[in-house]
Amino acid sequence: MVNDSIADLLTRIRNAQTARHESVTIETSIMKKSIAQILLDEGYISAFDEVENGNKNKNLVITLKYVKKKKKVITGLKRISKPGRRIYASCEELPKV
């Protein structure tokens, strides 16, 4: 059981890209699908799909994106606000991508 599912998602993506995997499989949730949609819209991943894993559960398969010669598109991935330490900011204080 994972306490911080968003941090787990980011860590799995970071580790899969470091290992040069084509895709990464994660247990699905509405929040994870929303994060994957944002990453897709911003051009950081190639695609994502929801697949059945045999039980009633579903998995989220995220296809990672690389530039020429397997260079990572996502170079830095970090969780700022954590369950033990929440960081709040107004919309004016958020950094631009």
Side-chain angles (χ1 to χ4, degrees), residues 29-39 41 48 60:
S29 72
I30 295 171
M31 179 68 76
K32 290 177 185 178
K33 283 194 291 188
S34 299
I35 292 171
Q37 183 63 50
I38 291 170
L39 290 173
D41 293 343
F48 72 93
L60 193 65

Side-chain angles (χ1 to χ4, degrees), residues 26-89:
I26 304 157
E27 291 181 17
T28 192
S29 72
I30 295 171
M31 179 68 76
K32 290 177 185 178
K33 283 194 291 188
S34 299
I35 292 171
Q37 183 63 50
I38 291 170
L39 290 173
L40 180 66
D41 293 343
E42 295 296 327
Y44 290 112
I45 61 173
S46 295
F48 72 93
D49 192 23
E50 197 172 359
V51 294
E52 300 271 340
N53 69 350
N55 302 336
K56 291 184 179 180
N57 301 333
K58 293 183 180 180
N59 286 340
L60 193 65
V61 178
I62 298 175
T63 306
L64 302 173
K65 188 174 184 179
Y66 297 95
V67 196
K68 303 175 203 172
K69 299 190 181 190
K70 293 277 191 177
K71 185 176 178 187
K72 297 186 277 186
V73 172
I74 300 173
T75 55
L77 194 58
K78 184 178 176 183
R79 174 95 189 253
I80 302 297
S81 184
K82 302 173 185 175
R85 181 173 181 231
R86 290 291 181 202
I87 307 290
Y88 297 99

